[in-house]
Amino acid sequence: DGPQRKKRKSEVAEVDRQLDVLAIGTAVGSILLYSTVKGELQSKLDGGHDNRVNCVRWHQDNCCLYSCSEDKHIVEWNTQTCKVKCKWKGDNSSVTSLCISPDGKMLLSAGRTIKLWDLETKEVYRHFTGHATSVSSLIFTTVKPMNENKPFDGITGLYFLSGAIHDRLLSVWQIRSDRKEKNAVMSFTVTDEPTFIDLTVSEVKEEPVKLAVVCRDGQLHLFEHILNGYCKKPLTSNCTIQIATPGSDGDSTPKPVPILAAAFCTDKQSLLLVYGNTLQPIIEKVSLNTTEPHVCLIRDMQKVLSLKTDVALTKVKTPVVNSDTKVLVPGIPGHSTAVKIPSSGKENKKNKRKPGETEESIEERLGALDIDVSKLKSPGGLPQTDSFAVLLVQGLESNDAEILNRVLNTRKESVIKNTVARMPIHAVIPLLHELTKRLQGNPYSASLMVRWLKSVFTLHASYLSTLPDLIPQLGMLYQLMESRVKTLQKLSRLHGRLFILVTQVAASETVQDATEVNQTAKLVYEDESSEEEGSDDEMIADKDSDENWDEDEEKEEQSDEQHMTVEKEINGDSDLEPENESEEE
C-alpha cells in the first residue's frame, strides 16, 4: 500500500510539472519551455527549424509538442529529451497555424491551403481550399459528429473553424468521408480582421456553438449557431460588444477602449474580457446577454489605468560645491571659456536680465564655444532630400497643405526619386491617395504629380504588389487614368480640326494683308498741265527716286507721243493701225 501511494503522488507531480510549462516559439527557430511555477526557463528545443516559429501546439500526451515555421516544415518534439521526434514538409510556402484533433490522432496545418494530417503515417488525409491570405487561426468546433447513426472514426463529421489575416470572413469546414468536397460549409462575417477567437465546443447535437471573435478595430462579436450542414449566406453576429470611456471630466466625447481578447468561462454563460492597454490590461468577467444586438460598456479608464512611476528616481540631487573648488566640465576640444562657479543658494536661480543689458545671440554663444557657425548653416538654404522625405511624411500625417505643396511642387527628377526612395513604406499609400486627389485638380498640378507617380511605381512596385487590398486602394487612380486615356483620341481629333481652322484663318489674314497695299501714287501726270508744271513734277520725281534719269527720258518720249496724238485727233487723223494702237497703249 505504501509504495503504491508514493507512486501515485509522483505521477500527479509529473502531470503538474508538465501542466505548468509554457512553450514559446522564437523568431530564430528555437522553442523555449518556461516554467510558470518556478518563474524560470526550464529547457530549450533547438535543431528543428531554420526560420521563425509561427505556431506551437501541445498534444494531449503532455510530453509531445508540435510546431510549424516559415521554413515550410512541421516538427514533432519530445519535451522530455528535448529532441526532434519527427520532421516533415508541411506546405510549399510557410506554415502559419496548427490544430490537433480532439482524439489526438490527426493534425490540421495551414499556410494558405488547409491540410489534415494522419499523425501515425504523416500523410495528408484531406485537403481544403483555405483562404487567399495566410491562415492565422484554426480551432475544432465539435467533438462528436452531428449524425450519430453512423459509427464514428474519431474525425469524420467534425467541424473546424479558420480565420486569415486581412480577411473579414471566418470559414467553417466539415471533414467528410468523400474527398471531393473541399470548400467551406458556412462562414461568419465580422467588421475587421480577427485577432483573437474563442468558442464553446458543441458536445450535444442540439447545442449551439458559441463563438467570440475579437477584431483589430477593438470590437467583440458573439455568434451562436447550430452547425447542421451547408449554409450559403455569411452569418452576422448576434451581439457586438464595445467598451468606451464615460466622456466626463472636461472631455465630453467618449473614447473607445480596445478589447484585446475574450474567453468563455466554464459555465458558458459568462465571458472574461481583456481590454485597455497592452502593457497593463484589465481582465473583467461579464455575463452574456445576447438579446441586444449592440452592447456598449462604459468604463472609466483613467481611474483604473494610472501607471505608477517611482518618484524617488525622478529626483535629481545637485551636489553642494564650495566657492574655492574648480569644476572641470567635459566639452568640445578647444573649449576655452572659463567655467562659471555655481552661484550660492542666496541668489535667485532664475536668470533675469538687467534693464540695460541685451541678450546674447546664438551665434555669439556658439562663437564663445569655438564652433564654426558657417559650418552649421546648410549650403544654398534649400532643404536636402532627407528633410524632403521627413517633410513629406509629416505633411501626409498632419494633412498640412502648405508642407505638401512645398514638397510636391518640386520639378527636379533627382530630388523626387531620392525623396520617394527614402520615405518609409507605410507612407506610400497615403502619398498615392494625395497624388490621386491632386491629379483631379488643374492640369498644371497634374503634370507635376505624374512625375511623383512614376517614381512611386518604379521604386515601390514590389511593396505595392504584396498588398491584398491594392485594387480598391488604387481604383480611383486607375479610373482617372483610364478616362484621360479615353479622351486622348477625341482630343487629338479636336486638335487636328482646330489646327486646320487656325491655319485657314491665318492664311486668309495674310491674303488680306497682301491686297491692302499702299494705293497712293508716287508720281501723278496731268494731261492739261503746262510744260512748266511738268518740269516741276519732274523735279519732285528727281527728289523722290534714286533711279530718276531713265524714267524721265521715258516720260518725255511718252509726253511727246501723246501731244502728237492730240494734234492728229484735232486734225481728224484718228485712223491708226492696230499695231500703233497697242504701242500707244
Side-chain angles (χ1 to χ4, degrees):
D1 288 329
Q4 280 180 0
R5 283 178 191 165
K6 282 182 183 176
K7 191 178 179 183
R8 282 176 192 162
K9 281 182 181 177
S10 63
E11 282 175 1
V12 172
E14 182 68 26
V15 172
D16 287 345
R17 192 178 70 78
Q18 285 295 334
L19 286 174
D20 79 299
V21 175
L22 184 68
I24 307 164
T26 62
V28 291
S30 59
I31 295 167
L32 309 175
L33 298 180
Y34 186 86
S35 173
T36 53
V37 174
K38 294 176 186 175
E40 60 183 25
L41 193 66
Q42 186 174 303
S43 51
K44 187 178 179 182
L45 308 179
D46 272 328
H49 296 294
D50 305 329
N51 210 328
R52 183 164 73 95
V53 177
N54 288 327
C55 186
V56 178
R57 287 282 179 267
W58 285 103
H59 193 266
Q60 283 85 329
D61 174 15
N62 283 317
C63 61
C64 188
L65 184 74
Y66 289 90
S67 64
C68 64
S69 167
E70 293 280 323
D71 63 4
K72 309 174 188 177
H73 285 82
I74 301 169
V75 176
E76 183 182 355
W77 299 88
N78 185 340
T79 53
Q80 288 181 333
T81 59
C82 297
K83 289 184 179 177
V84 177
K85 278 174 77 176
C86 186
K87 180 179 178 179
W88 71 97
K89 189 175 179 180
D91 209 324
N92 291 328
S93 59
S94 62
V95 186
T96 54
S97 193
L98 294 176
C99 183
I100 294 161
S101 65
D103 65 348
K105 293 179 181 176
M106 296 279 180
L107 176 74
L108 278 171
S109 77
R112 289 183 182 175
T113 58
I114 302 169
K115 294 177 183 178
L116 182 67
W117 300 86
D118 188 341
L119 286 177
E120 284 185 12
T121 59
K122 305 293 187 291
E123 290 179 355
V124 178
Y125 182 72
R126 289 281 185 278
H127 270 285
F128 301 94
T129 48
H131 296 259
T133 52
S134 53
V135 175
S136 57
S137 51
L138 283 171
I139 308 173
F140 272 93
T141 57
T142 50
V143 179
K144 294 177 183 176
M146 295 301 161
N147 190 357
E148 294 173 355
N149 300 329
K150 294 179 182 179
F152 181 47
D153 61 354
I155 196 73
T156 307
L158 294 187
Y159 290 88
F160 68 91
L161 181 89
S162 69
I165 58 169
H166 307 303
D167 196 343
R168 296 194 298 109
L169 284 177
L170 293 165
S171 302
V172 178
W173 316 79
Q174 189 180 17
I175 300 160
R176 302 191 179 182
S177 53
D178 56 335
R179 289 175 177 271
K180 292 179 183 177
E181 191 59 50
K182 293 182 179 181
N183 295 331
V185 290
M186 66 180 75
S187 56
F188 300 105
T189 178
V190 288
T191 52
D192 204 346
E193 177 191 334
T195 55
F196 194 92
I197 301 169
D198 191 48
L199 50 83
T200 61
V201 177
S202 173
E203 295 175 357
V204 192
K205 186 179 179 181
E206 287 78 19
E207 186 186 4
V209 171
K210 290 181 180 178
L211 181 67
V213 184
V214 179
C215 296
R216 193 172 288 283
D217 58 4
Q219 295 186 44
L220 169 65
H221 299 277
L222 296 173
F223 298 87
E224 199 169 325
H225 188 73
I226 297 170
L227 303 175
N228 53 1
Y230 187 74
C231 181
K232 194 174 181 181
K233 288 185 178 179
L235 301 168
T236 53
S237 60
N238 297 18
C239 179
T240 304
I241 298 175
Q242 288 175 288
I243 299 176
T245 55
S248 57
D249 299 332
D251 191 6
S252 58
T253 54
K255 292 179 182 177
V257 178
I259 299 172
L260 306 173
F264 286 99
C265 299
T266 48
D267 60 352
K268 297 186 182 181
Q269 298 302 318
S270 53
L271 266 175
L272 276 177
L273 290 182
V274 182
Y275 60 89
N277 194 340
T278 48
L279 295 173
Q280 195 181 10
I282 300 158
I283 301 174
E284 185 183 338
K285 193 173 182 178
V286 181
S287 59
L288 286 174
N289 181 19
T290 53
T291 53
E292 295 179 20
H294 295 281
V295 178
C296 186
L297 305 173
I298 306 298
R299 298 288 180 270
D300 195 354
M301 295 298 293
Q302 289 179 350
K303 290 178 182 176
V304 184
L305 268 184
S306 55
L307 292 168
K308 293 178 182 177
T309 52
D310 196 354
V311 185
L313 291 173
T314 58
K315 290 181 179 177
V316 180
K317 292 182 179 179
T318 51
V320 180
V321 184
N322 297 327
S323 56
D324 302 332
T325 56
K326 186 179 180 182
V327 183
L328 296 172
V329 231
I332 300 155
H335 185 92
S336 58
T337 53
V339 176
K340 292 180 182 178
I341 298 161
S343 58
S344 59
K346 293 176 185 177
E347 292 179 13
N348 192 4
K349 288 182 182 176
K350 288 184 182 177
N351 186 15
K352 289 185 178 177
R353 279 180 286 155
K354 292 176 185 177
E357 281 184 359
T358 55
E359 192 180 0
E360 287 184 342
S361 66
I362 293 170
E363 194 167 350
E364 287 170 358
R365 291 180 194 175
L366 292 176
L369 293 171
D370 290 345
I371 294 173
D372 190 2
V373 185
S374 60
K375 289 179 184 176
L376 296 174
K377 292 179 181 176
S378 61
L382 283 168
Q384 301 303 308
T385 315
D386 297 341
S387 57
F388 256 116
V390 174
L391 274 174
L392 183 59
V393 174
Q394 285 177 354
L396 290 169
E397 285 176 356
S398 61
N399 206 7
D400 193 330
E402 192 177 341
I403 296 174
L404 289 171
N405 288 337
R406 187 180 172 188
V407 176
L408 295 175
N409 287 342
T410 50
R411 291 175 171 276
K412 288 185 180 178
E413 292 284 343
S414 58
V415 174
I416 292 171
K417 277 185 183 177
N418 291 334
T419 306
V420 172
R422 294 184 187 193
M423 68 184 288
I425 282 178
H426 65 80
V428 172
I429 291 292
L431 176 61
L432 282 175
H433 288 322
E434 182 64 31
L435 292 174
T436 308
K437 194 166 72 178
R438 285 166 180 261
L439 272 169
Q440 295 167 356
N442 59 341
Y444 172 72
S445 70
S447 64
L448 289 172
M449 296 311 118
V450 167
R451 298 179 183 184
W452 284 91
L453 269 179
K454 184 182 174 184
S455 297
V456 170
F457 285 136
T458 48
L459 293 165
H460 295 290
S462 55
Y463 164 67
L464 290 169
S465 61
T466 59
L467 296 175
D469 56 344
L470 183 66
I471 294 167
Q473 293 272 21
L474 298 182
M476 178 73 75
L477 180 63
Y478 181 73
Q479 287 172 5
L480 189 71
M481 289 165 74
E482 198 173 18
S483 63
R484 291 205 175 188
V485 169
K486 277 181 182 176
T487 54
L488 272 179
Q489 200 172 1
K490 294 177 183 177
L491 280 171
S492 62
R493 285 180 192 165
L494 182 64
H495 178 265
R497 289 173 186 174
L498 286 171
F499 181 73
I500 291 167
L501 280 172
V502 168
T503 47
Q504 285 178 352
V505 169
S508 64
E509 282 178 357
T510 51
V511 170
Q512 286 173 7
D513 290 345
T515 53
E516 289 175 4
V517 183
N518 191 6
Q519 299 289 342
T520 55
K522 288 186 178 180
L523 179 71
V524 180
Y525 177 74
E526 294 178 2
D527 288 343
E528 296 174 1
S529 63
S530 62
E531 287 181 2
E532 290 174 4
E533 286 174 348
S535 63
D536 291 335
D537 290 335
E538 283 169 11
M539 284 175 73
I540 292 162
D542 283 345
K543 290 174 186 175
D544 288 342
S545 63
D546 296 323
E547 302 166 1
N548 46 17
W549 61 279
D550 288 326
E551 289 177 5
D552 291 342
E553 284 180 358
E554 287 173 4
K555 281 164 187 163
E556 282 174 2
E557 288 171 7
Q558 284 177 3
S559 61
D560 293 341
E561 284 173 6
Q562 282 179 358
H563 280 296
M564 284 170 69
T565 53
V566 169
E567 286 172 1
K568 281 182 180 180
E569 278 176 333
I570 294 165
N571 297 331
D573 301 336
S574 61
D575 296 325
L576 294 170
E577 290 178 11
E579 289 177 4
N580 294 335
E581 280 180 11
S582 64
E583 280 175 8
E584 285 171 11
E585 284 172 5

